[in-house]
Amino acid sequence: MTGVTVRVPAKLNLQLAVGPPRADGYHDLVTVFHAVSLFDEVTAQPAKRDGVTVTGEGADRVPSDQDNLALRAVAALRTAVAGPGVDTSGVHITIAKRIPVAAGLAGGSADAAAALVACNELWDGGLSQSKLLEVGARVGSDVAFALLGGTAVGRGRGEQLTPALAPATQYHWVLGFADGHLSTPEVYAALDRLRAASADGAGGPAQARPAQAGPAEPDLDAALMSALRSGEARLVGRALSNDLQPAALSLFPSLRKTLAAGLELGALGALVAGSGPTCVFLAASADRALDLAVSLSGAGVCRSVARVTGPVAGAAVVPPSK
Ligand code: C5P
């Protein structure tokens, strides 16, 4: 076999509710993941030793050593499938990026998920989807969702997934890519600081609330779930929410202008994607998305724009062309 290519989508969070920091440094979440039609392509080929090459959008910001999340996924899969008769020799991973790096769209996790699917095929590892989800969850919080795709509720660090039951509505999104990046751990840390500051400034006795307290248990938004069940974009647009948004805006204040511009131009809803700095806008139809994309680029409030649809399927092998 010469190589296996896997196509994997970016994700949006239609809701991202963040609890207080846990002892392990992560935050418990309740999130509604939504996979959209912006894809990276990841190819695994037999090689003497593991390695990675990255091309395309933001390639120079992606580590090409063992820190690369796709290579960490390869190592995790090798451990999981090791056994007599399974040849898990070296692989070279080639990542063709279209999902911008450090943009809140889980591009790194997507590449890790794609590497899992590609190597499982290349090595004939035989791992089931649920086994791959387990291995993926160990590699990163968003990897499992990139395997699953669609629209799903995530809990825990985001790795415990339940597919959302919703009609087959296709939503039309416009993404506004920022001229800059945000680091996910820094955005979570900024949220903890904002929450600690507002708890301190709340006037109550300092000992009444532990420092850095957020909501004890993040909750799934019933209004968003009912909007998704109705399939009405207008209701979904109104129910979009992201607890990380104030933190992302504090680190990247110009995003306020981008979000406001999109709403003024007729978006049904607007929010920062995950930890940012990409801005996400929901449009009423494919035509409205085109209008919005053209106007947003004209307004000069982002580096570039893309139109995508969702939900789409998770990481999947691209059949070899004949
Ligand atoms: O799991 P992943 O490597 O994608 O997470 C990146 C960083 O984002 C973590 O190191 C942590 O700082 C932050 N994070 C978090 N809570 C989560 C997910 C991520 O604090 N549920």
Side-chain angles (χ1 to χ4, degrees):
M1 188 183 285
T2 53
V4 177
T5 297
V6 169
R7 195 172 83 139
V8 64
K11 64 87 188 149
L12 307 179
N13 302 84
L14 308 186
Q15 181 195 3
L16 180 48
V18 181
R22 313 192 309 202
D24 64 2
Y26 283 89
H27 296 69
D28 273 323
L29 307 177
V30 173
T31 188
V32 178
F33 286 116
H34 182 73
V36 292
S37 61
L38 176 67
F39 300 99
D40 279 356
E41 277 199 359
V42 174
T43 301
Q45 286 167 305
K48 280 217 177 72
R49 65 180 77 84
D50 290 353
V52 64
T53 308
V54 188
T55 62
E57 170 85 33
D60 53 330
R61 295 184 60 85
V62 182
S64 54
D65 56 13
Q66 294 300 321
D67 278 348
N68 185 288
L69 212 54
L71 283 190
R72 298 212 322 244
V74 170
L77 185 73
R78 185 174 281 126
T79 310
V81 300
V86 188
D87 177 9
T88 60
S89 42
V91 285
H92 192 86
I93 300 287
T94 306
I95 304 174
K97 288 213 69 68
R98 285 188 55 225
I99 307 173
V101 178
L105 300 167
S109 299
D111 300 339
L116 289 178
V117 173
C119 290
N120 190 38
E121 182 88 6
L122 188 72
W123 293 334
D124 217 356
L127 286 202
S128 63
Q129 167 92 337
S130 71
K131 261 290 183 203
L132 280 180
L133 289 170
E134 261 175 49
V135 178
R138 288 202 291 275
V139 178
S141 307
D142 294 333
V143 177
F145 177 70
L147 292 165
L148 193 66
T151 303
V153 176
R155 296 176 193 274
R157 287 186 292 125
E159 84 289 10
Q160 298 160 22
L161 297 172
T162 316
L165 293 173
T169 310
Q170 198 184 37
Y171 296 97
H172 299 273
W173 304 94
V174 174
L175 306 180
F177 300 127
D179 203 358
H181 310 90
L182 282 172
S183 135
T184 303
E186 282 171 21
V187 176
Y188 275 99
L191 176 67
D192 293 339
R193 282 198 303 276
L194 288 176
R195 284 177 168 174
S198 73
D200 286 350
Q207 66 274 26
R209 261 169 82 78
Q212 301 192 336
E217 280 291 326
D219 255 343
L220 186 60
D221 180 3
L224 174 64
M225 296 314 284
S226 114
L228 286 169
R229 276 192 300 274
S230 77
E232 277 196 51
R234 192 174 45 84
L235 298 180
V236 172
R238 224 185 271 161
L240 300 171
S241 71
N242 180 0
D243 282 0
L244 287 179
Q245 184 161 309
L249 293 177
S250 75
L251 298 172
F252 208 132
S254 66
L255 298 181
R256 276 179 211 286
K257 226 168 117 186
T258 314
L259 293 172
L263 289 170
E264 255 165 51
L265 291 166
L268 299 176
L271 86 176
V272 169
S275 54
T278 303
C279 290
V280 179
F281 305 95
L282 181 58
S285 65
D287 286 348
R288 287 292 167 84
L290 180 57
D291 291 344
L292 180 58
V294 170
S295 313
L296 259 185
S297 356
V301 288
C302 36
R303 173 174 60 84
S304 62
V305 298
R307 279 177 303 134
V308 297
T309 58
V312 298
V317 173
V318 179
S321 47
K322 289 173 199 122

Short mmCIF file of all heavy atoms in Angstrom, two decimals, residues 25-27 29 140-141 157 184-185 188, ligand 1:
data_model
loop_
_atom_site.label_atom_id
_atom_site.label_comp_id
_atom_site.label_asym_id
_atom_site.label_seq_id
_atom_site.Cartn_x
_atom_site.Cartn_y
_atom_site.Cartn_z
N GLY A 25 -5.76 21.06 35.66
CA GLY A 25 -5.51 22.23 34.80
C GLY A 25 -6.55 22.38 33.71
O GLY A 25 -6.66 23.46 33.11
N TYR A 26 -7.33 21.35 33.44
CA TYR A 26 -8.40 21.46 32.44
C TYR A 26 -9.64 22.06 33.09
O TYR A 26 -9.72 22.20 34.30
CB TYR A 26 -8.73 20.08 31.86
CG TYR A 26 -7.70 19.62 30.86
CD1 TYR A 26 -6.59 18.88 31.26
CD2 TYR A 26 -7.84 19.91 29.51
CE1 TYR A 26 -5.63 18.46 30.35
CE2 TYR A 26 -6.90 19.49 28.58
CZ TYR A 26 -5.80 18.77 29.01
OH TYR A 26 -4.87 18.37 28.10
N HIS A 27 -10.63 22.38 32.25
CA HIS A 27 -11.91 22.89 32.73
C HIS A 27 -13.00 21.93 32.26
O HIS A 27 -12.98 21.49 31.11
CB HIS A 27 -12.19 24.27 32.13
CG HIS A 27 -11.20 25.32 32.54
ND1 HIS A 27 -9.90 25.32 32.12
CD2 HIS A 27 -11.34 26.39 33.36
CE1 HIS A 27 -9.26 26.35 32.64
NE2 HIS A 27 -10.12 27.02 33.40
N LEU A 29 -16.40 21.10 30.73
CA LEU A 29 -17.16 21.82 29.71
C LEU A 29 -18.51 21.18 29.48
O LEU A 29 -18.67 19.98 29.68
CB LEU A 29 -16.48 21.72 28.33
CG LEU A 29 -15.04 22.10 28.15
CD1 LEU A 29 -14.65 21.82 26.71
CD2 LEU A 29 -14.87 23.56 28.48
N GLY A 140 -6.03 14.61 22.74
CA GLY A 140 -6.44 16.01 22.89
C GLY A 140 -7.94 16.09 23.07
O GLY A 140 -8.68 15.20 22.66
N SER A 141 -8.38 17.22 23.68
CA SER A 141 -9.80 17.32 24.07
C SER A 141 -10.75 17.30 22.87
O SER A 141 -11.89 16.87 23.00
CB SER A 141 -10.03 18.61 24.85
OG SER A 141 -9.12 18.70 25.90
N ARG A 157 -13.73 17.13 29.41
CA ARG A 157 -12.85 18.09 28.75
C ARG A 157 -13.39 18.43 27.37
O ARG A 157 -12.79 19.22 26.65
CB ARG A 157 -11.45 17.48 28.57
CG ARG A 157 -10.64 17.35 29.80
CD ARG A 157 -9.23 16.88 29.45
NE ARG A 157 -9.18 15.51 28.95
CZ ARG A 157 -8.65 15.12 27.79
NH1 ARG A 157 -8.12 16.00 26.97
NH2 ARG A 157 -8.63 13.86 27.44
N THR A 184 -4.84 28.59 23.09
CA THR A 184 -5.97 28.07 23.87
C THR A 184 -5.70 28.15 25.39
O THR A 184 -6.54 28.68 26.13
CB THR A 184 -6.31 26.64 23.43
OG1 THR A 184 -6.59 26.67 22.03
CG2 THR A 184 -7.50 26.08 24.17
N PRO A 185 -4.55 27.65 25.89
CA PRO A 185 -4.33 27.74 27.35
C PRO A 185 -4.35 29.19 27.84
O PRO A 185 -4.86 29.46 28.92
CB PRO A 185 -2.93 27.13 27.55
CG PRO A 185 -2.64 26.34 26.33
CD PRO A 185 -3.47 26.91 25.22
N TYR A 188 -8.05 30.28 28.19
CA TYR A 188 -8.65 29.71 29.41
C TYR A 188 -8.12 30.43 30.65
O TYR A 188 -8.89 30.73 31.58
CB TYR A 188 -8.36 28.21 29.52
CG TYR A 188 -9.35 27.35 28.76
CD1 TYR A 188 -9.05 26.85 27.49
CD2 TYR A 188 -10.58 27.02 29.32
CE1 TYR A 188 -9.96 26.05 26.80
CE2 TYR A 188 -11.49 26.22 28.63
CZ TYR A 188 -11.17 25.75 27.37
OH TYR A 188 -12.08 24.97 26.69
O1 C5P B 1 -6.69 19.04 25.21
P1 C5P B 1 -5.98 20.11 24.44
O2 C5P B 1 -4.51 19.84 24.31
O3 C5P B 1 -6.62 20.46 23.13
O4 C5P B 1 -6.11 21.43 25.32
C1 C5P B 1 -5.27 22.54 25.13
C2 C5P B 1 -5.30 23.40 26.39
O5 C5P B 1 -6.56 24.04 26.52
C3 C5P B 1 -5.11 22.65 27.69
O6 C5P B 1 -3.75 22.50 28.01
C4 C5P B 1 -5.83 23.55 28.69
O7 C5P B 1 -4.99 24.64 29.06
C5 C5P B 1 -6.96 24.14 27.88
N1 C5P B 1 -8.21 23.36 28.06
C6 C5P B 1 -8.91 23.47 29.25
N2 C5P B 1 -10.08 22.77 29.42
C7 C5P B 1 -10.57 22.00 28.42
C8 C5P B 1 -9.89 21.89 27.19
C9 C5P B 1 -8.70 22.59 27.04
O8 C5P B 1 -8.49 24.19 30.17
N3 C5P B 1 -11.69 21.35 28.62
#
